[in-house]
Amino acid sequence: MAFDDFAPVQSQQRKGIALALSGGGYRAMLFHTGVLIRLNELGLLQQVSRVSSVSGGSISAAYLGLVWKRLTWADGVATNFGEIYVDEILHFSRHSMDWYCATVGFLTQGLLASRLVSWVYDLKLFRGATLQDLPGDEGPRFIICATNLSTGSLWRFSRPYMADYRVGRIDKPKLPLAKAVAASSAFPPILSPLRLNLGNYTIGDWPVRGDKTEVSVPMPPFVRQRAVLTDGGAYDNHGLEPVNDWPIVLVSDGGAPHAIESGGYWNWYAQGMRVLGVEDNQVRSLRRRALIKYFDDGRATGEASGAYWSIGTNPRKYDAVGGLPCPPEAVTVLSRVDTRLADPGDTVRDALVNWGYAICDKAVRRWYAPDLAPATAWPRPDGLDRIDIS
């Protein structure tokens, strides 16, 4: 999982647990909410020292960062997690926003869509908070990932800095948290891009580690004048790069599995979109393979460990570890929920939380902490039983 030629110099000691939350709209946000509930119950959430997030996962992560200081801990578990975090995320997921934001994006060719998304996030969830309201030394470092279209690199938002290793690093930015999440979840092309004026900031260099393998091209002045940002999933939908080389990595993937389609692709647009989808799937597959190899090598040497699970994981793979019952047919339905910023309805909302909770429990105990007790009760009503599998 090493990207040393392209990685910036480390600014945080690699210790504790690193958690990566993928993109996938409200589907991923709700799936990750179930994951966070279970990690808290297992006493692992308080051990997290870095959270990297993309798109829908950035909604989950950013709000967790915002309320972190309000959590009350007892024996490593946040006793008020449901009230402070879960209830608010579930309430927010009832606000559909993509249809009118997409309409504005279509009519303005993306000029105003990201601003509208940012405004809704701020009104409904973040309420004026900035990156400086995220935890400092008292909690994890939260890194919200977007993609810089100008450089083709990962753009990172966090409390200590916002940065693109090619552009440089801006220390202690007072940027609205809603704007960072809007950039991370600016699904192209309709909700994208978010244009960030860098002229108001002091930008310092952020050197990369090691020797680059490509020819070094001087950056033109415009890259430090404006950042043109789109969805973090365009670069790394798993959010893996900011957790590179961490000794313990937990990865929650709420991205929709790559679909098999029967179309003949008789027009250029349909064919082009399918090609982009295939390329995106290949990039994600390569990152997952590198992650699994990192786990395998780390377990062999004792230098790294962790777990990966996805919304499309076959629960039958975990029959031996026990836990809550998860019919594969219901999981298939949930993995195909549309990637939208829209209310999925109470039945799907609760089931997505429950599925994230259950598969996190199974994967963590199978791959990382086998001595932990399995989950015995669903966090939301009815488990996965209300999902129509007909």
Side-chain angles (χ1 to χ4, degrees):
M1 200 174 62
F3 306 99
D4 289 348
D5 287 347
F6 303 97
V9 170
Q10 295 178 1
S11 59
Q12 182 185 9
Q13 185 178 357
R14 267 52 177 164
K15 65 179 182 178
I17 295 174
L19 175 64
L21 303 178
S22 81
Y26 281 6
R27 180 193 63 244
M29 177 185 73
L30 292 165
F31 179 76
H32 298 325
T33 297
V35 166
L36 294 172
I37 294 171
R38 187 54 182 156
L39 291 178
N40 180 51
E41 291 177 352
L42 292 171
L44 299 178
L45 186 61
Q46 195 179 39
Q47 299 177 32
V48 171
S49 56
R50 173 171 288 198
V51 180
S52 172
S53 62
V54 179
S55 196
S58 290
I59 307 173
S60 305
Y63 193 67
L64 177 62
L66 182 59
V67 303
W68 188 273
K69 300 172 188 177
R70 296 165 52 199
L71 296 176
T72 303
W73 301 91
D75 298 325
V77 176
T79 58
N80 60 344
F81 191 73
E83 172 190 353
I84 296 296
Y85 180 81
V86 178
D87 290 351
E88 290 296 319
I89 288 290
L90 295 182
H91 178 71
F92 174 75
S93 72
R94 291 180 168 87
H95 297 286
S96 297
M97 56 188 289
D98 59 358
W99 66 269
Y100 59 85
C101 291
T103 300
V104 170
F106 176 78
L107 294 175
T108 66
Q109 291 294 290
L111 180 62
L112 300 178
S114 60
R115 299 182 195 180
L116 182 57
V117 172
S118 176
W119 178 79
V120 175
Y121 283 157
D122 196 60
L123 178 68
K124 300 295 185 181
L125 197 61
F126 298 112
R127 302 178 179 93
T130 74
L131 291 172
Q132 297 310 303
D133 292 308
L134 295 174
D137 294 337
E138 74 279 10
R141 177 176 297 181
F142 289 82
I143 299 181
I144 299 165
C145 300
T147 302
N148 190 347
L149 291 176
S150 299
T151 62
S153 303
L154 189 72
W155 182 278
R156 308 176 188 215
F157 294 99
S158 67
R159 174 176 170 159
Y161 59 81
M162 60 183 184
D164 170 334
Y165 83 91
R166 285 189 168 101
V167 174
R169 171 174 162 153
I170 299 166
D171 291 329
K172 299 180 180 178
K174 293 183 179 179
L175 186 85
L177 189 55
K179 183 172 285 190
V181 176
S184 180
S185 58
F187 191 80
I190 303 262
L191 301 183
S192 170
L194 186 144
R195 297 171 178 87
L196 189 61
N197 183 3
L198 303 180
N200 299 325
Y201 300 98
T202 300
I203 305 176
D205 292 334
W206 194 7
V208 298
R209 291 181 281 161
D211 296 323
K212 294 180 66 176
T213 58
E214 61 182 14
V215 175
S216 180
V217 179
M219 288 294 104
F222 70 80
V223 300
R224 288 194 167 185
Q225 296 168 1
R226 182 183 66 182
V228 183
L229 305 176
T230 192
D231 196 293
Y235 183 86
D236 177 8
N237 195 56
H238 295 88
L240 292 178
E241 194 156 306
V243 300
N244 184 39
D245 294 339
W246 225 269
I248 305 170
V249 183
L250 302 179
V251 180
S252 180
D253 182 4
H258 187 60
I260 297 174
E261 297 185 2
S262 60
Y265 309 108
W266 300 108
N267 63 78
W268 290 351
Y269 174 79
Q271 183 182 161
M273 292 302 295
R274 182 58 173 174
V275 168
L276 289 174
V278 171
E279 290 177 345
D280 174 70
N281 178 64
Q282 176 68 351
V283 171
R284 297 187 195 191
S285 297
L286 290 172
R287 286 191 180 272
R288 286 194 295 269
R289 292 170 193 167
L291 175 68
I292 299 306
K293 185 177 187 303
Y294 179 73
F295 286 153
D296 290 342
D297 293 346
R299 291 188 183 100
T301 61
E303 296 178 353
S305 63
Y308 165 87
W309 58 87
S310 82
I311 198 167
T313 295
N314 183 356
R316 290 286 180 257
K317 293 172 55 178
Y318 292 98
D319 283 347
V321 302
L324 296 165
C326 301
E329 298 82 3
V331 168
T332 299
V333 173
L334 293 172
S335 71
R336 294 175 178 172
V337 172
D338 290 340
T339 304
R340 296 188 56 192
L341 302 177
D343 181 2
D346 288 338
T347 297
V348 173
R349 179 182 3 265
D350 288 343
L352 283 168
V353 173
N354 284 337
W355 171 226
Y357 178 92
I359 190 57
C360 169
D361 170 72
K362 295 173 186 291
V364 166
R365 291 187 297 103
R366 168 64 179 87
W367 298 108
Y368 173 61
D371 295 334
L372 295 175
T376 57
W378 297 101
R380 303 296 299 167
D382 300 324
L384 306 183
D385 294 339
R386 288 187 289 162
I387 293 298
D388 183 4
I389 60 176
S390 60

